[in-house]
Amino acid sequence: EAFSFKNIALADDSVSWLVGQRGVILKTTNKGSEWEFQSSGSLSQLNDVCFISADSGYAVGNRGTLLQTTDGGDTWNLIPLGNISNYNCVYFLNHNEGWIVGDSAIVLSTTNAGNTWVRDTLSNLIPPYSLTDFSASAKTRISPGVKYIVGQGGAILNGTPNSETGKLEWRKVWGGITIKRINKIAVFSDWRFLLAGEQGLLVWVGTGQSPIIYLSIASHYDLMDMSVINKKAVWAVGSYGIVKKKKNRMDFSVLTH
């Protein structure tokens, strides 16, 4: 039976999980040579999967589906959160801190390894857009790291912790970059990132004399995902099988289409 897969999570170079339509979850332990089904207990489409370790992971999907495993996916438990929004992305910074973003501008966060989730209100910042991706810059001695959310209508939000309470404060940033749906953000540092989205959207946002650089590709391709190895090795994939490799900061080449 053929399935449409939505996302993949890697624990190491041998162990990975795929999620997709009708609640399907597949796992490989031999670099993809063989895949085995895992029972999710859900028929909802799963849109994203995230593993913090080889044992601990989360999957999210449509109609408010949140699944959690603590045994590498041998068993998945449905976590009820009390809403039916479609969840599009789950991201964990460490074992305790995690976020879910989805339709209707929903943002959920946990600081206790998923035991409880709190909803962040963004209605004062954006319409009820579909939010598609979450990422964060690394913490350093001089920075606590910046969190980013992107989505429909060119929405770009960043969150920085309040100096007194530590609670994330969200704001809109770089308005007017695009009105297109942003599907993926790859963060390189606090204020430098790459955006990919519909109709060939590919934008580098940074600092200096050219803070915003539009990278030109065919507008009929929708870029859906990116994988970042380092600043000189970025892969973007999308519709019609297009794959682009980043040679340097402003140069992508079509490898297959």
Side-chain angles (χ1 to χ4, degrees):
E1 186 177 3
F3 293 95
S4 175
F5 296 109
K6 302 295 291 184
N7 223 305
I8 186 170
L10 283 67
D12 53 41
D13 62 353
S14 296
V15 181
S16 306
W17 292 262
L18 286 169
V19 298
Q21 289 179 321
R22 299 197 294 279
V24 67
I25 300 178
L26 296 179
K27 180 182 180 180
T28 181
T29 57
N30 54 13
K31 301 183 179 181
S33 297
E34 298 172 304
W35 294 85
E36 62 179 22
F37 281 94
Q38 295 187 323
S39 176
S40 69
S42 173
L43 292 177
S44 295
Q45 175 174 295
L46 299 177
N47 297 318
D48 197 17
V49 58
C50 168
F51 268 77
I52 308 159
S53 67
D55 294 320
S56 180
Y58 299 83
V60 295
N62 292 352
R63 298 194 293 273
T65 301
L66 169 62
L67 303 173
Q68 182 181 20
T69 181
T70 56
D71 56 13
D74 290 339
T75 56
W76 289 87
N77 298 310
L78 180 64
I79 310 298
L81 295 180
N83 65 72
I84 57 171
S85 294
N86 294 339
Y87 300 149
N88 299 318
C89 174
V90 56
Y91 179 98
F92 269 77
L93 188 63
N94 50 51
H95 182 74
N96 289 314
E97 297 177 273
W99 291 265
I100 295 170
V101 300
D103 292 355
S104 303
I106 191 167
V107 180
L108 302 170
S109 61
T110 180
T111 56
N112 55 14
N115 290 318
T116 58
W117 293 83
V118 177
R119 181 166 183 170
D120 291 345
T121 301
L122 303 182
S123 58
N124 61 323
L125 297 176
I126 57 174
Y129 285 153
S130 173
L131 302 177
T132 54
D133 197 24
F134 186 106
S135 192
S137 61
K139 293 182 179 180
T140 67
R141 282 191 308 106
I142 60 175
S143 170
V146 179
K147 282 66 177 179
Y148 285 94
I149 298 173
V150 296
Q152 180 185 3
I156 308 172
L157 306 170
N158 76 2
T160 53
N162 181 286
S163 59
E164 295 182 0
T165 66
K167 181 178 174 59
L168 277 183
E169 296 180 342
W170 293 99
R171 60 185 61 84
K172 288 193 296 185
V173 293
W174 291 287
I177 288 180
T178 180
I179 60 172
K180 298 176 182 178
R181 177 187 176 98
I182 302 170
N183 292 320
K184 201 70 177 178
I185 180 171
V187 177
F188 297 96
S189 63
D190 282 2
W191 309 108
R192 294 178 180 174
F193 51 86
L194 188 67
L195 305 172
E198 67 178 359
Q199 298 178 349
L201 176 72
L202 201 58
V203 182
W204 167 261
V205 180
T207 57
Q209 294 182 339
S210 301
I212 301 174
I213 301 173
Y214 293 87
L215 307 175
S216 177
I217 65 169
S219 62
H220 55 283
Y221 292 121
D222 287 344
L223 297 177
M224 302 303 297
D225 201 359
M226 285 189 292
S227 180
V228 177
I229 301 172
N230 54 50
K231 291 183 179 180
K232 294 185 178 180
V234 178
W235 303 76
V237 298
S239 58
Y240 298 96
I242 189 171
V243 178
K244 294 192 175 271
K245 182 181 179 181
K246 189 178 186 190
K247 293 181 177 178
N248 55 52
R249 196 177 76 170
M250 294 180 287
D251 188 8
F252 276 72
S253 59
V254 180
L255 300 184
T256 64
H257 62 84

